[in-house]
């Protein structure tokens, strides 16, 4: 399903790639004095790259956890029904069953 693949790529682009890019720009270009910025500025370039790899992995884990909730891999306290995610013009096609796997497979394929 092309739309589903596009959705997964856009989730990654918006919630991981763009977010990390904006995060990096803020840290590289801010003049604000705070503990986090001072720590970041104390790192050499190699450690700054590692810092953003860690931040990226945290974002990937967070997105994967949320997709796992949508996929029905776990329920929130008080939840009594599965989520049903469809496209508005194709309500008969459920797209939230393997979103987590598709997302993590995309991440893995791009890292190879």
């Amino acid at each position: 399903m092309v739309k589903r693949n596009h959705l997964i790529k856009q989730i990654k682009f918006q919630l991981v790639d763009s977010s990390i890019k904006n995060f990096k720009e803020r840290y590289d270009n801010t003049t604000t004095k705070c503990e986090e910025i001072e720590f970041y500025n104390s790192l050499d370039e190699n450690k700054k790259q590692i810092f953003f790899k860690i931040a990226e992995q945290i974002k990937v884990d967070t997105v994967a956890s949320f997709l796992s909730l949508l996929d029905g891999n776990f329920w929130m306290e008080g939840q009594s029904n599965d989520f049903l995610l469809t496209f508005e013009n194709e309500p008969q096609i459920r797209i939230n069953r393997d979103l987590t796997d598709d997302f993590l497979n995309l991440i893995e394929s791009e890292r190879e």
Side-chain angles (χ1 to χ4, degrees), residues 18-98:
S18 292
S19 179
I20 289 294
K21 180 183 175 209
N22 292 336
F23 188 51
K24 186 175 184 329
E25 287 173 0
R26 268 197 322 269
Y27 271 68
D28 284 339
N29 299 316
T30 190
T31 57
T32 304
K33 295 285 184 188
C34 67
E35 188 176 25
E36 298 85 1
I37 298 298
E38 289 175 10
F39 168 76
Y40 176 76
N41 287 333
S42 74
L43 301 174
D44 64 34
E45 288 306 312
N46 184 51
K47 288 185 176 151
K48 286 179 181 179
Q49 288 179 355
I50 293 169
F51 175 82
F52 286 112
K53 284 182 182 180
I54 293 168
E56 179 180 2
Q57 187 59 50
I58 291 168
K59 288 185 175 289
V60 165
D61 292 346
T62 301
V63 171
S65 292
F66 181 70
L67 293 175
S68 188
L69 172 67
L70 292 179
D71 283 342
N73 296 327
F74 68 92
W75 283 19
M76 296 182 295
E77 185 177 328
Q79 182 180 347
S80 59
N81 295 315
D82 281 334
F83 289 101
L84 177 60
L85 186 61
T86 65
F87 289 107
E88 185 175 20
N89 60 346
E90 296 178 6
Q92 73 282 6
I93 299 175
R94 182 178 183 160
I95 58 175
N96 62 315
R97 293 217 175 174
D98 297 314

